Amino acid sequence: MTGSGTVDLLALETPFDGALSLDPLVVAVILAMAVVTVVAKTGGIWLVRRVDVSDRVQAGLDVLPGAIVVAILGPELAAGGPAEWGGAAVVLVVMWRTESILLALCSGVAAVVAFRAVV
């Protein structure tokens, strides 16, 4: 502390000295991964705009988000209990009535939380 009551931050010693320092190699790897991610995403968009997409491929691309969600949540549902199956039923009903994936997913998550609180 200085005479005016302020704390000199440079004079403080912590038990983790050096733990918050950044290794230049780690920073370089993170930046390289960010560049690769941006190139992959923009490259995919660039490529799809230059290729004639058939109706069959377009139909596949249209259902891809739902297929990814099912691939991620399917194993969780298979290993789940009554709360998860009840949430899945809510998702099916909301999707059937509204055809909104986002609303169905949000309803399913809320239903699982509610069912877990009850069951």
Side-chain angles (χ1 to χ4, degrees), residues 1-62:
M1 289 192 103
T2 62
S4 63
T6 60
V7 176
D8 186 8
L9 293 176
L10 296 177
L12 291 176
E13 290 187 22
T14 65
F16 306 109
D17 282 341
L20 297 177
S21 66
L22 291 174
D23 185 358
L25 179 62
V26 172
V27 173
V29 168
I30 291 171
L31 289 175
M33 290 189 307
V35 168
V36 168
T37 300
V38 169
V39 168
K41 288 186 174 191
T42 56
I45 293 171
W46 177 81
L47 182 64
V48 167
R49 288 185 177 176
R50 291 186 171 31
V51 174
D52 288 331
V53 178
S54 67
D55 292 340
R56 187 176 175 133
V57 172
Q58 184 63 44
L61 291 174
D62 289 343

Side-chain angles (χ1 to χ4, degrees), residues 90-91 94-95 97-109:
V90 169
V91 167
V94 171
M95 190 63 201
R97 300 297 288 176
T98 66
E99 296 185 6
S100 170
I101 292 175
L102 181 60
L103 182 61
L105 288 176
C106 291
S107 300
V109 169

